[in-house]
Amino acid sequence: MESNHHKVIIVGSGPAGLTAAIYTARANLSPIVFEGIQPGGQLTITTEVENFPGYENGIMGPELMDVMRKQAHRFSAESIYKEITEVDFSKRPFVLKSDDEIYTADSVIISTGASARLLNIESEKKYMGYGVSACATCDGFFFRNQKVLVVGGGDTALEEATYLTRFASEVTVIHRRDEFRGSKIMVDRAKNNPKVKFELNAVIKEVLGKEENGKKFVTGALLENPKTRETKEISSDGIFIAIGHKPNTEIFAGQLDLHDNGYLKVTPGTTRTSVEGVFAAGDVADHTYRQAITAAGSGCMAALDAQRWLEEKGIA
């Protein structure tokens, strides 16, 4: 039990968790990082990342996370490839469980991220990162002068559709109903954009694609009318899923204050949660930007907040 006590435990990897690990490790706090079921976070399911500063020619998502992890390990951070399944923040030190193992910590940095809501069809998984994306601001640039589809009917989908017209020659919004959940201003903006088209009362039944010379790419989608069950094919070079994100905060419900949408509440301008000594970084507390660089920045903030808090308590 004693050997499982740490000054800092970081729950979740990705740019936020690994940046927090770099900073806390350099402060001699010997952090451990529970990397969870998706080590490296959402970037491990992307292909090329071109908007992370410092990589002039871009870098593959999994490679970027591997570089970050190695940098954290260089300063003696430790990765544990397990998931935290339960926490108790009512006690000091804090108690965290991973299956049958119990760990305790003086401070905790939560960086469990948010997961894009997906269609959950096999062909979507097959082409994820090869024409299927859940982030227009990350991947829109790759579809210059090409046709793309955007799936969804809320503000996120309408905003992403409008954003993608900067690059794509044509953007078609696929929505299962004939009315939008999005705000009137976003609906009007999309409808008034000459590059935006609409396929209403339609869902994607299958992502269509090819594999040539060892490369996979999307060629379109099979649409189905949910009422009549009629189907038709539509050609496309890319498909953006924009049906929302779900923060990975289930184990913190009842332990920390959450917003109505499930994201962790933090004190504005800081990474402090509702429990003193527990900090949050990255997409788990950010439903606005959701970028690798903003996640990394908040990981740095969380590490500095934790370090200063531990110093104030005479622990660091």
Side-chain angles (χ1 to χ4, degrees), residues 22-148:
I22 291 166
Y23 273 78
T24 50
R26 290 187 75 250
N28 292 325
L29 293 173
S30 304
I32 62 168
V33 184
F34 280 88
E35 298 228 11
I37 54 174
Q38 191 178 40
Q42 289 186 80
L43 280 190
T44 57
I45 60 167
T46 63
T47 47
E48 197 159 14
V49 178
E50 289 200 328
N51 55 4
F52 200 90
Y55 295 93
E56 178 189 0
N57 299 311
I59 183 171
M60 300 301 279
E63 186 186 352
L64 175 59
M65 298 324 302
D66 197 42
V67 168
M68 278 195 186
R69 182 179 294 109
K70 286 174 178 171
Q71 189 175 358
H73 289 180
R74 180 181 151 218
F75 297 112
S76 300
E78 182 188 345
S79 289
I80 296 179
Y81 298 96
K82 293 180 181 178
E83 193 178 6
I84 292 294
T85 51
E86 193 180 329
V87 297
D88 185 351
F89 293 149
S90 66
K91 298 177 181 175
R92 305 281 170 156
F94 302 124
V95 177
L96 301 92
K97 290 183 183 176
S98 175
D99 296 324
D100 294 332
E101 286 193 84
I102 294 176
Y103 296 80
T104 59
D106 296 312
S107 65
V108 173
I109 295 172
I110 297 167
S111 55
T112 47
S115 303
R117 296 181 194 275
L118 299 174
L119 304 176
N120 292 322
I121 52 177
E122 200 57 42
S123 52
E124 174 191 50
K125 290 178 194 168
K126 181 179 179 181
Y127 291 101
M128 181 61 71
Y130 298 94
V132 176
S133 170
C135 181
T137 50
C138 309
D139 300 325
F141 179 82
F142 298 113
F143 295 90
R144 193 174 289 280
N145 301 319
Q146 295 183 15
K147 291 182 179 181
V148 299

Side-chain angles (χ1 to χ4, degrees), residues 33-283:
V33 184
F34 280 88
E35 298 228 11
I37 54 174
Q38 191 178 40
Q42 289 186 80
L43 280 190
T44 57
I45 60 167
T46 63
T47 47
E48 197 159 14
V49 178
E50 289 200 328
N51 55 4
F52 200 90
Y55 295 93
E56 178 189 0
N57 299 311
I59 183 171
M60 300 301 279
E63 186 186 352
L64 175 59
M65 298 324 302
D66 197 42
V67 168
M68 278 195 186
R69 182 179 294 109
K70 286 174 178 171
Q71 189 175 358
H73 289 180
R74 180 181 151 218
F75 297 112
S76 300
E78 182 188 345
S79 289
I80 296 179
Y81 298 96
K82 293 180 181 178
E83 193 178 6
I84 292 294
T85 51
E86 193 180 329
V87 297
D88 185 351
F89 293 149
S90 66
K91 298 177 181 175
R92 305 281 170 156
F94 302 124
V95 177
L96 301 92
K97 290 183 183 176
S98 175
D99 296 324
D100 294 332
E101 286 193 84
I102 294 176
Y103 296 80
T104 59
D106 296 312
S107 65
V108 173
I109 295 172
I110 297 167
S111 55
T112 47
S115 303
R117 296 181 194 275
L118 299 174
L119 304 176
N120 292 322
I121 52 177
E122 200 57 42
S123 52
E124 174 191 50
K125 290 178 194 168
K126 181 179 179 181
Y127 291 101
M128 181 61 71
Y130 298 94
V132 176
S133 170
C135 181
T137 50
C138 309
D139 300 325
F141 179 82
F142 298 113
F143 295 90
R144 193 174 289 280
N145 301 319
Q146 295 183 15
K147 291 182 179 181
V148 299
L149 309 179
V150 174
V151 182
D155 276 353
T156 299
L158 295 165
E159 190 175 342
E160 295 210 344
T162 304
Y163 172 81
L164 286 164
T165 60
R166 299 181 186 198
F167 311 102
S169 58
E170 182 181 292
V171 179
T172 302
V173 178
I174 313 290
H175 183 39
R176 63 169 48 247
R177 289 183 267 280
D178 54 8
E179 290 184 4
F180 291 97
R181 298 189 316 276
S183 57
K184 186 177 185 302
I185 189 167
M186 292 308 301
V187 173
D188 289 347
R189 193 173 293 169
K191 283 184 174 177
N192 292 332
N193 192 310
K195 282 188 176 183
V196 178
K197 296 182 176 182
F198 298 90
E199 283 282 351
L200 304 180
N201 293 314
V203 296
I204 291 185
K205 191 170 176 64
E206 190 177 348
V207 174
L208 305 176
K210 284 185 180 176
E211 194 163 342
E212 289 178 2
N213 302 320
K215 289 188 176 180
K216 290 187 285 190
F217 57 92
V218 165
T219 58
L222 179 66
L223 304 185
E224 181 182 70
N225 184 311
K227 294 176 183 174
T228 66
R229 299 298 176 195
E230 287 180 61
T231 60
K232 72 172 184 177
E233 289 188 12
I234 183 170
S235 64
S236 174
D237 302 294
I239 299 174
F240 289 85
I241 313 298
I243 53 178
H245 284 73
K246 183 176 180 290
N248 301 318
T249 54
E250 293 90 343
I251 64 167
F252 308 115
Q255 299 279 335
L256 299 170
D257 289 351
L258 306 176
H259 290 284
D260 290 342
N261 58 8
Y263 287 81
L264 286 175
K265 284 186 179 180
V266 293
T267 304
T270 77
T271 61
R272 294 197 299 268
T273 68
S274 57
V275 171
E276 195 181 339
V278 179
F279 307 89
D283 289 10

